[in-house]
Amino acid sequence: MIMIGEATIIIIVGMFFLSFLVVGISFYSIKNEQFYFPTILKPGLVMTEGFAKGICRFFGLDDQELVTFFIRLHNKMNTVPFSKIPFEKRAIFLPQCLRNAQCPAHLTPEGLVCRRCGRCEIGAHMDELENLGYRVWIAPGSTLIKRMVKKYRPEGIIGVGCLMEVKEGLELTDKMTIVGMGVLTATDGCVETTMNWNDLLEVALLSSQE
């Protein structure tokens, strides 16, 4: 029992110091707008998330900056493999909160089907993305994402959403061994959120053929 207790203390102390190291490197990277030790940072942020956020709060740091940094780091590390995937083997999941409050779309087993009513910008951009070869879904939740991935087997996914939605989505793609990229909405909320569509197009157009 004593050995188990000592081992537990060693693990906790180790995680604490690893969290300090991860937070330190992360904020140093944020400050200098450059990724340091990315292959260490990504798994380190995943392993020590709870500790790292606690350290941020203790020192009055914004833990949302840490989450934003995780998304940027994830995208940076996946840019090359994502660019090698043909458009036809990619998928995009848009959050339903982007639609207009009077949206006439109906929920189906494959998500919300856009009616191209012109009340929001989703329809026009869906047409543009689908013309490139993408499959695009308006997702009411992560259950739809899992179902569509199982059905259509995309090799690359772009997920759009608020900070935590994108973070959780990227973690989900990692578990499914799919190359994931995240694009953040400009505003948060459950109704009529906004986004910079050029940010999405910039990621969507990534190609090794350029």
Side-chain angles (χ1 to χ4, degrees), residues 4-165:
I4 294 173
E6 289 177 345
T8 302
I9 292 172
I10 290 171
I11 292 171
I12 292 172
V13 171
M15 289 291 288
F16 185 74
F17 279 106
L18 179 59
S19 301
F20 255 110
L21 180 62
V22 167
V23 170
I25 296 173
S26 298
F27 276 92
Y28 187 72
S29 298
I30 293 169
K31 181 181 178 182
N32 292 281
E33 298 184 348
Q34 184 176 339
F35 296 108
Y36 296 98
F37 310 108
T39 54
I40 297 174
L41 272 181
K42 184 182 172 183
L45 284 168
V46 173
M47 287 175 57
T48 66
E49 181 181 359
F51 279 97
K53 285 185 176 181
I55 291 170
C56 287
R57 295 190 190 103
F58 181 79
F59 287 102
L61 302 172
D62 186 357
D63 61 350
Q64 288 195 340
E65 279 195 61
L66 202 61
V67 177
T68 303
F69 175 72
F70 169 82
I71 294 169
R72 288 177 54 214
L73 176 64
H74 197 289
N75 285 351
K76 179 71 174 178
M77 295 183 70
N78 278 359
T79 294
V80 172
F82 185 81
S83 67
K84 294 178 180 178
I85 300 171
F87 293 154
E88 295 77 14
K89 295 183 179 179
R90 301 181 189 177
I92 295 175
F93 290 94
L94 301 172
Q96 65 170 345
C97 59
L98 285 172
R99 61 185 179 139
N100 184 274
Q102 281 75 48
C103 175
H106 295 292
L107 184 62
T108 73
E110 295 203 358
L112 290 157
V113 178
C114 180
R115 301 279 293 276
R116 271 63 169 180
C117 68
R119 289 182 174 91
C120 71
E121 299 181 77
I122 291 178
H125 289 291
M126 280 188 71
D127 288 338
E128 184 177 4
L129 294 163
E130 288 175 348
N131 287 337
L132 288 171
Y134 276 86
R135 290 187 182 275
V136 186
W137 287 281
I138 306 172
S142 59
T143 302
L144 176 90
I145 297 174
K146 294 175 184 176
R147 193 163 64 247
M148 293 303 98
V149 167
K150 184 177 181 180
K151 181 176 180 178
Y152 293 101
R153 303 290 182 184
E155 295 178 11
I157 288 177
I158 303 175
V160 179
C162 66
L163 200 61
M164 294 311 299
E165 285 176 336

